[in-house]
Amino acid sequence: MIPLIDAKLEEYAIAHSRAPSSLLRELQEYTHQHCDNPQMVTGPLEGAFLRMLVQLVDARRILEIGMFTGYSTLAMAEALPEDGELISCELDRDHCAIAKSFFDRSPHGGKISVVLGPALDSLETMDGPFDLVFLDADKENYVHYYEKTLALLRSGGLLVADNTLWSGRVVDPKKHTDRALAAFNRQVQQDDRVENVLLTVRDGMMLVRKNP
Ligand SMILES: C[S@@+](CC[C@H](N)C(=O)[O-])C[C@H]1O[C@@H](n2cnc3c(N)ncnc32)[C@H](O)[C@@H]1O
């Protein structure tokens, strides 16, 4: 991932945002030491932002597509009320095992259910409504995840899609994944069922509010 903003500015933004819990810090460190592609972790700035969004939409039910070792999952679960629920879809068994080992140590872990398997299949078994959806799995399927999860989102609910600037490659797409993300951004922009804003946070975050 090519940083969109200067590393010092990013550090400054992190230092002036809500600090992650000690367990989240440990999870990030563990992922960096033991996992391939640790840059996939959303990390402290995006984690603090997701946490803020959970509170702003007064979320009680969250659906996540793409959990990895569970950073974003735990960051959002920590902000849910006691009776809140977060369902996370993840393809990789090893990622699930690591994530669950951290959820088991969190007082918020009981709010999280993990669904193992290809998310498009898992979505067929889901019942809405959800207050918040977070898309962060295989980018080639974002256009499909969008339609399926928008149907499960409550009116006025929020869908957040990560990596939507894709290190800037959406501007002049060359590879399949570049084109897939550019197509997703176009799809959202042209959808009159929603209101959206594409933020330059980290690798780009598309925020989509389903119109009441
Ligand atoms: C960018 S990472 C998610 C990062 C995570 N949100 C975090 O904060 O650490 C993408 C994850 O999506 C998972 N994934 C890829 N294709 C998938 C699919 N078809 N269904 C479910 N999960 C998938 C990968 O195994 C990977 O763990």
Side-chain angles (χ1 to χ4, degrees), residues 40-42 64 66-68 71-72 89-92 95 117-119 134 136-138 145:
M40 292 201 300
V41 168
T42 40
E64 177 179 64
M67 177 177 71
F68 192 32
Y71 192 100
S72 50
C89 302
E90 172 56 51
L91 183 64
D92 186 292
H95 296 166
F134 181 49
D136 194 16
D138 47 330
Y145 294 142

Side-chain angles (χ1 to χ4, degrees), residues 8-20 44-45 48-49 52:
K8 278 198 174 149
L9 256 184
E10 177 97 3
E11 269 170 38
Y12 183 89
I14 291 169
H16 292 81
S17 301
R18 190 184 200 277
L45 188 60
F49 186 48
M52 178 69 80

